[in-house]
Amino acid sequence: MKAQSDSCCIRESPWNSTHPLAIFGGTQCTELTENICSVIGKAPNNCQVKPFPNGETMVKLLDDVRGKDVFVIVSVCRQHKADEQGYSGINDCLMELLVFGDALRRASAHRITAVIPHFGYARQDRKAEGRTPITAKLFADMIVAAGYNRVLTMDLHVDQIQGFFPGHVPLDHLNAGPLFAAHFNELGLDNVVVLSPDVGNIKKAEKYRRGFKFPASFAFIDKVRDQSGNVKARNIVGDVDGKTVIFLDDIISTAGTMMEGIHLAQEHGAKDFYLAATHGEFVGAAIERLKSSLIQEICITDTVPILSRMRNELPLKVISIANIFGQAIARIHCHESISALLGEYS
């Protein structure tokens, strides 16, 4: 992949500045890091990440980072290599991110940016009931304590997580909307309705569809929580009868509520379903649940490593985030606007 002409710093000198650029990638993001670096036109820096025999994480920087502007790419998500079923590993990714930050701070890096394509623990953003933590805030505090000066991420589950970081640690929030819009504009779909999984996701789904060049109505699923605390799809607000549904969400995890929404929409007359989500976790019984003839395509990005079962057993379309993250890193390094990169999605 060649460096993109619209990457801001590439048209200048090859990253020679007062604080030269360095980019490291975590063990779960090796391929993504290489693709991002290809967009930028720079090779990834060298490091060694390995566990001690007792499972502790060890990071050794093999390149000098003194005085450099350093970006660390670690997606805090379920692992790929360690567990093909995708049931564990998120805490290993989190610890790797934190150890990277401490190693870089002690090695005298000038600025350290955490590039977190998938921000784990984002769904624990509030106290849903008594005597429970707000783990997303704890995660933010840990990132700051590890020595990071800035955070770059994509499609947080809730936007208010941006406020969990102190003012001296800014967070840049990218949006996958332009990527999904470009893809769906090529499919030639008609009689389309965009379906949001719940009321709380309406704003995000609306942002995703901004770039659609075809007419698409809007609907959302009305949910209710029963006495046991389980969330159930109760009704659909909006017309889906005879329509092709694009089901937009930020994450596919176990796919339980998503399939419940699909079956409810089918009962209301919907025909075909296209699913789109930025983060494809696919944990638990997700893959089995999504093996439905109703689903024409499942469109996700590569913020989370893709399991081989996902590719083999599902109608999967994977869109790369390498270009948008590469341009964002270039703009941050050169002190240029991220909002200009997002355009109408900012």
Side-chain angles (χ1 to χ4, degrees), residues 122 180 336:
F180 290 130
E336 295 188 1

Side-chain angles (χ1 to χ4, degrees), residues 281-327:
E281 283 194 320
F282 294 83
V283 294
I287 295 177
E288 294 302 321
R289 285 175 174 150
L290 292 168
K291 292 179 182 178
S292 169
S293 60
L294 295 171
I295 300 173
Q296 305 302 309
E297 180 182 85
I298 304 172
C299 185
I300 60 173
T301 74
D302 53 354
T303 58
V304 177
I306 310 301
L307 302 175
S308 58
R309 284 191 64 208
M310 292 161 54
R311 294 188 185 276
N312 296 335
E313 301 178 30
L314 297 176
L316 206 64
K317 169 64 179 180
V318 180
I319 301 177
S320 177
I321 59 168
N323 189 55
I324 190 170
F325 269 88
Q327 292 189 55

Side-chain angles (χ1 to χ4, degrees), residues 9 33-34 46 60 78 95 132 145 173 201 210 215 218 226 231 252 263 268 299 303 307 309 324:
C9 297
T33 300
E34 291 175 350
N46 298 308
K60 182 178 181 180
R78 60 104 176 104
M95 197 63 200
T132 57
H173 190 201
N201 197 65
R210 284 182 186 175
F218 198 85
D226 62 24
V231 177
I252 299 177
H263 291 143
H268 283 70
C299 185
T303 58
L307 302 175
R309 284 191 64 208
I324 190 170

Side-chain angles (χ1 to χ4, degrees), residues 247-301:
F247 202 124
L248 293 175
D249 207 350
D250 63 312
I251 183 169
I252 299 177
S253 186
T254 64
T257 55
M258 178 169 281
M259 288 307 302
E260 189 178 65
I262 288 174
H263 291 143
L264 181 61
Q266 183 190 25
E267 293 174 5
H268 283 70
K271 297 191 305 180
D272 299 321
F273 293 85
Y274 291 78
L275 312 186
T278 306
H279 312 295
E281 283 194 320
F282 294 83
V283 294
I287 295 177
E288 294 302 321
R289 285 175 174 150
L290 292 168
K291 292 179 182 178
S292 169
S293 60
L294 295 171
I295 300 173
Q296 305 302 309
E297 180 182 85
I298 304 172
C299 185
I300 60 173
T301 74

Side-chain angles (χ1 to χ4, degrees), residues 6 114 199 282:
D6 53 355
V199 176
F282 294 83

Side-chain angles (χ1 to χ4, degrees), residues 111-289:
R111 181 177 66 173
I112 314 169
T113 299
V115 181
I116 312 174
H118 178 261
F119 194 98
Y121 287 99
R123 283 172 288 183
Q124 298 186 46
D125 63 297
R126 67 195 186 283
K127 292 188 68 169
E129 54 184 327
R131 297 182 297 279
T132 57
I134 304 178
T135 316
K137 178 62 169 70
L138 173 63
F139 181 17
D141 291 342
M142 294 167 72
I143 291 171
V144 176
Y148 287 98
N149 308 109
R150 195 178 192 102
V151 176
L152 174 65
T153 189
M154 172 173 273
D155 283 337
L156 289 165
H157 184 63
V158 287
D159 290 344
Q160 59 263 33
I161 290 175
Q162 298 174 72
F164 288 178
F165 291 88
H168 65 277
V169 181
L171 183 146
D172 293 299
H173 190 201
L174 301 179
N175 189 290
L179 305 179
F180 290 130
H183 171 67
F184 283 111
N185 286 337
E186 294 178 351
L187 296 185
L189 303 177
D190 57 11
N191 197 22
V192 172
V193 58
V194 169
L195 181 61
S196 171
D198 51 47
V199 176
N201 197 65
I202 288 177
K203 187 175 181 180
K204 188 182 295 291
E206 172 60 26
K207 182 180 285 189
Y208 277 19
R209 74 163 183 164
R210 284 182 186 175
F212 288 174
K213 295 181 179 179
F214 51 87
S217 57
F218 198 85
F220 67 89
I221 297 173
D222 177 30
K223 292 181 178 178
V224 63
R225 188 179 298 273
D226 62 24
Q227 293 181 347
S228 301
N230 299 316
V231 177
K232 298 292 184 181
R234 180 170 58 182
N235 196 12
I236 290 182
V237 179
D239 181 21
V240 299
D241 187 22
K243 294 182 178 292
T244 295
V245 173
I246 299 180
F247 202 124
L248 293 175
D249 207 350
D250 63 312
I251 183 169
I252 299 177
S253 186
T254 64
T257 55
M258 178 169 281
M259 288 307 302
E260 189 178 65
I262 288 174
H263 291 143
L264 181 61
Q266 183 190 25
E267 293 174 5
H268 283 70
K271 297 191 305 180
D272 299 321
F273 293 85
Y274 291 78
L275 312 186
T278 306
H279 312 295
E281 283 194 320
F282 294 83
V283 294
I287 295 177
E288 294 302 321
R289 285 175 174 150

